Amino acid sequence: MIEESAIVTATNGEFARVETQRATSCGSCEAKSTCGTSALSKVFGNRRTVVEVLNPIGAVTGDRVVVGLDESALTRASFFFYIVPLILLLAGGILGQWFAETISLQSTEPLSIICGLLGLLIGLVWLRWFAFKTSRSSSYQAVILRRTSSIHVISDITKNTL
């Protein structure tokens, strides 16, 4: 289980909207003055991320919580989002090349490129459908695991966002 600390900013039935703070470990690293990652973190800063998660513990607005996501769900989703469009792009290009050779086109590259892009488009449309289908699936949904404190910190959030 991958865990992250967050603050509940809103609740809606069985779901809660939580805000996490992206942070790197660059502040304690010996090589932070010469590291590219440290330079990038200075440019992009520690941005806040808002996510909707399952709320089985009944956390309320302002609670500090720990949010978890099953590692296998992250692995499966990463595979689908990165590999499937790439495979369909390559398959479309190979299929276009084969078809162009089959019908004896003088130049096979344009059809190969078009079919590759068509395969990529099909992959992206499939991903949109997959994301919609799994958006409320409990196996792909992050969940609030426990409270870390009940101190209401909404005023801290609003101060930082203004």
Side-chain angles (χ1 to χ4, degrees):
M1 181 74 65
I2 300 169
E3 296 183 359
E4 180 71 32
S5 297
I7 299 170
V8 178
T9 58
T11 58
N12 183 14
E14 65 180 10
F15 293 95
R17 181 165 286 143
V18 298
E19 186 174 287
T20 64
Q21 178 75 35
R22 265 192 251 166
T24 63
S25 57
C26 293
S28 60
C29 181
E30 295 282 332
K32 66 180 174 185
S33 61
T34 59
C35 176
T37 302
S38 176
L40 284 174
S41 71
K42 288 177 187 171
V43 170
F44 293 112
N46 292 333
R47 296 185 181 167
R48 295 181 185 275
T49 303
V50 177
V51 182
E52 192 169 81
V53 299
L54 288 172
N55 185 11
I57 66 169
V60 295
T61 303
D63 283 351
R64 289 185 184 271
V65 294
V66 174
V67 177
L69 178 64
D70 185 29
E71 292 161 348
S72 63
L74 181 63
T75 304
R76 282 191 311 268
S78 297
F79 174 79
F80 290 136
F81 277 84
Y82 289 106
I83 301 300
V84 169
L86 181 62
I87 288 172
L88 290 176
L89 169 74
L90 293 173
I94 292 169
L95 186 65
Q97 179 78 23
W98 172 81
F99 186 67
E101 289 172 358
T102 302
I103 61 172
S104 300
L105 288 181
Q106 190 171 3
S107 178
T108 60
E109 286 180 7
L111 188 58
S112 180
I113 291 169
I114 290 169
C115 289
L117 291 175
L118 185 61
L120 177 64
L121 180 65
I122 290 168
L124 294 175
V125 168
W126 180 85
L127 277 179
R128 185 158 176 92
W129 171 82
F130 176 77
F132 177 75
K133 185 183 102 173
T134 60
S135 65
R136 296 292 183 173
S137 170
S138 61
S139 61
Y140 286 96
Q141 186 73 40
V143 62
I144 296 177
L145 300 174
R146 63 187 174 274
R147 287 183 181 86
T148 56
S149 70
S150 293
I151 301 171
H152 294 284
V153 290
I154 287 300
S155 60
D156 293 341
I157 293 170
T158 56
K159 287 178 191 174
N160 292 334
T161 58
L162 294 178

